[in-house]
């Protein structure tokens, strides 16, 4: 019984030992498999071909720096067409939105009341003229009689005074007639300028008064574009503005571009026209106007537009496409491909953006190749197969100053 007790091994102790003994070969097999898998991956990476990327060389040249301002188109001359007299509108002679010439008949107002008033004033004038004639005859009659003593001097003086009063009354009647004639003429409303006539807010049969706006006419060639600039910008360009006002054009005055709301560039370049007399204290800006030719009347008053102008030229700037620069947490990097086709990630300091290009102020030399497409494939130190990027925009040439 004692032997049997000492020879027993508890089951609870023997099972873990057995399981631990079986685990050791499995762990070794897993370790060996992981090592072989890593080796295979490294062999696969080393045997994989270099990734294809598009590259372009950094260009060094003089680049114009542009500024943009948001503006609104305004007719060069804008006229509100309003009647001088009150009456019922009889006819509209122009088509809404059409081009009209200066002194072209636009509207006609019922003139019958004014013609009747004119006839009445003509009758009053005739009566006053008859009275004047009678008094003049009395003066001619009393002059010789007074000289002969047949009439008193008082009678002659009364005739002279009556004649002078009649002359004044005739002049007043003539002025009334002239005013009546003007009222008759003002029943026909003409365009004061040549330009595009707007849609009339009134229609035939409406009662119009001197405060009624019949339509608006705008001279649209050339077209003015009004836009605000900051006080700092005004002080920067003050010398040019003064020279423009004195000579009509500054010697280094650039041409202006107009960017329309659809993103297209208006084909006709413009020029600076005038600056306002004061700065808006609420916004800290001053209004400036530019002139743009509008021979096809494409521009209309009230259009939203951006005015773009080259304000300076960066000499010897290094430029690359914007898509070659990637930003990571406020740090700008480019992938530079060396002569051995090896990639080096380099931190750069970008400057101005000009027409799809980015000026690099620091960190890149001219003619160095940068990756423009395939940045997601590259890492620092890998070898790539570079191909030239033919879609890179050319750096803009400095503008010709007027």
């Amino acid at each position: 019984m004692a032997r049997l007790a000492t020879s027993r091994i508890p089951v609870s102790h023997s099972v873990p030992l057995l399981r631990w003994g079986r685990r050791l070969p499995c762990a070794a097999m897993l370790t060996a498999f992981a090592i072989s898998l890593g080796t295979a991956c490294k062999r696969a990476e080393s045997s994989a071909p270099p990734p294809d990327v598009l590259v372009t060389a950094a260009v060094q040249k003089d680049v114009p720096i542009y500024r943009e301002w948001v503006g609104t188109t305004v007719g060069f001359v804008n006229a509100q067409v309003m009647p001088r007299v009150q009456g019922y509108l009889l006819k509209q002679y122009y088509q809404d939105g059409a081009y009209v010439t200066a002194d072209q008949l636009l509207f006609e107002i019922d003139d019958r009341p004014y013609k009747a008033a004119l006839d009445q004033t003509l009758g009053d004038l005739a009566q006053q003229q008859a009275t004047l004639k009678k008094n003049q005859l009395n003066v001619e009659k009393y002059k010789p009689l007074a000289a002969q003593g047949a009439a008193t001097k008082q009678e002659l003086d009364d005739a002279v005074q009556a004649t002078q009063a009649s002359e004044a009354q005739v002049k007043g009647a003539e002025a009334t007639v002239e005013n009546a004639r003007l009222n008759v003429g003002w029943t026909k409303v003409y365009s004061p300028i040549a330009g595009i006539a707007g849609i009339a807010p009134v229609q035939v049969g409406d009662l119009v008064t001197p405060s009624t706006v019949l339509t608006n006419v705008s001279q649209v060639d050339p077209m003015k574009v009004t836009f605000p600039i900051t006080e700092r910008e005004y002080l920067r360009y003050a010398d040019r503005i003064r020279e423009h006002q004195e000579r009509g054009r500054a010697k280094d005055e650039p041409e202006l571009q107009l960017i329309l709301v659809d993103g297209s560039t208006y084909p006709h370049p413009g020029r600076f026209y005038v600056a306002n007399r004061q700065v808006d204290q609420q916004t800290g800006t001053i209004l400036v106007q530019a002139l743009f030719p509008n021979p096809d009347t494409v521009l209309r008053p009230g259009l939203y537009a951006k005015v773009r102008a080259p304000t300076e030229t960066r000499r010897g700037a290094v430029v690359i496409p914007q898509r070659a620069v990637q930003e990571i947490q406020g740090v700008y990097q480019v992938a530079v491909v060396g002569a051995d086709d090896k990639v080096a990630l380099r931190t750069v300091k970008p400057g101005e953006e000009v027409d799809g290009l980015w000026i690099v102020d620091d960190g890149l030399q001219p003619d160095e190749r940068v990756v423009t497409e395939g940045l997601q494939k590259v890492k620092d130190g890998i070898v790539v197969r570079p191909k030239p990027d033919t879609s890179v925009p050319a750096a803009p040439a400095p503008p010709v100053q007027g």
Side-chain angles (χ1 to χ4, degrees), residues 14 17 22 31 35 56 78 102 150 162 169 182 187 195 200 204 229 234 239 285 293 302 304 336 377:
S14 63
L17 292 174
R22 290 179 179 177
T31 303
I35 294 173
T56 188
N78 300 284
Q169 290 173 351
L182 288 175
T187 58
V204 173
I229 64 174
Y234 168 73
D239 292 339
T285 59
Y304 165 87
V336 181
K377 305 176 186 177

Side-chain angles (χ1 to χ4, degrees), residues 41-326:
C41 291
K42 290 182 179 179
R43 289 176 180 174
E45 288 181 0
S46 61
S47 61
D52 294 332
V53 295
L54 296 182
V55 299
T56 188
V59 178
Q60 185 177 28
K61 66 182 302 179
D62 297 342
V63 180
I65 304 300
Y66 288 86
R67 293 288 183 269
E68 291 184 351
W69 303 274
V70 177
T72 306
T73 57
V74 183
F76 186 72
V77 179
N78 300 284
Q80 277 190 336
V81 180
M82 305 173 70
R84 301 283 189 91
V85 294
Q86 177 177 313
Y88 289 96
L89 195 63
L90 291 182
K91 193 170 183 180
Q92 176 178 332
Y93 286 91
Y94 81 99
Q95 184 177 0
D96 290 339
Y99 180 85
V100 297
T101 59
D103 298 325
Q104 178 177 332
L105 179 61
L106 302 181
F107 299 94
E108 183 179 355
I109 299 172
D110 187 3
D111 62 353
R112 290 174 296 178
Y114 299 101
K115 285 184 175 180
L118 175 60
D119 292 339
Q120 183 178 356
T121 58
L122 288 172
D124 294 339
L125 175 61
Q127 183 178 359
Q128 296 299 331
Q129 288 173 339
T131 303
L132 174 61
K133 185 65 174 177
K134 176 184 177 182
N135 291 330
Q136 288 174 343
L137 292 174
N138 288 336
V139 171
E140 293 177 0
K141 179 180 69 173
Y142 283 116
K143 276 183 179 181
L145 293 177
Q148 297 173 5
T152 64
K153 186 176 183 301
Q154 182 65 40
E155 290 175 330
L156 176 60
D157 292 340
D158 290 343
V160 171
Q161 292 297 327
T163 301
Q164 292 177 348
S166 295
E167 289 176 350
Q169 290 173 351
V170 167
K171 288 183 179 180
E174 289 175 345
T176 304
V177 169
E178 181 62 24
N179 185 60
R181 283 201 178 100
L182 288 175
N183 288 338
V184 173
W186 283 335
T187 58
K188 290 182 172 57
V189 182
Y190 299 88
S191 175
I193 61 172
I196 302 295
I199 298 175
V202 296
Q203 59 185 356
V204 173
D206 288 350
L207 177 64
V208 297
T209 67
S211 62
T212 303
V213 177
L214 300 179
T215 189
N216 292 276
V217 180
S218 295
Q219 183 180 337
V220 296
D221 187 19
M223 177 70 75
K224 289 190 295 189
V225 178
T226 301
F227 56 94
I229 64 174
T230 64
E231 293 182 62
R232 188 181 299 273
E233 290 173 329
Y234 168 73
L235 294 175
R236 183 178 180 182
Y237 309 134
D239 292 339
R240 295 185 186 181
I241 293 175
R242 183 175 61 255
E243 184 179 356
H244 177 93
Q245 292 174 342
E246 293 175 353
R247 302 183 180 181
R249 189 175 182 91
K251 62 180 179 180
D252 57 348
E253 186 174 321
E255 290 185 337
L256 306 180
Q257 297 178 355
L258 194 64
I259 312 300
L260 303 179
V261 69
D262 61 354
S264 62
T265 301
Y266 185 64
H268 303 287
R271 60 181 179 87
F272 170 80
Y273 179 53
V274 70
N276 202 7
R277 66 178 184 89
Q278 68 179 18
V279 175
D280 189 331
Q281 295 181 353
Q282 294 182 348
T283 62
T285 59
I286 182 171
L287 284 180
V288 173
Q289 287 186 335
L291 291 183
F292 287 85
N294 192 26
D296 301 325
T297 66
V298 173
L299 301 179
R300 296 297 178 99
L303 287 177
Y304 165 87
K306 288 191 295 186
V307 178
R308 188 169 185 260
T311 57
E312 61 177 301
T313 300
R314 289 284 299 273
R315 305 294 180 184
V318 178
V319 295
I320 59 175
Q322 289 182 7
R323 63 176 181 272
V325 182
Q326 53 184 347

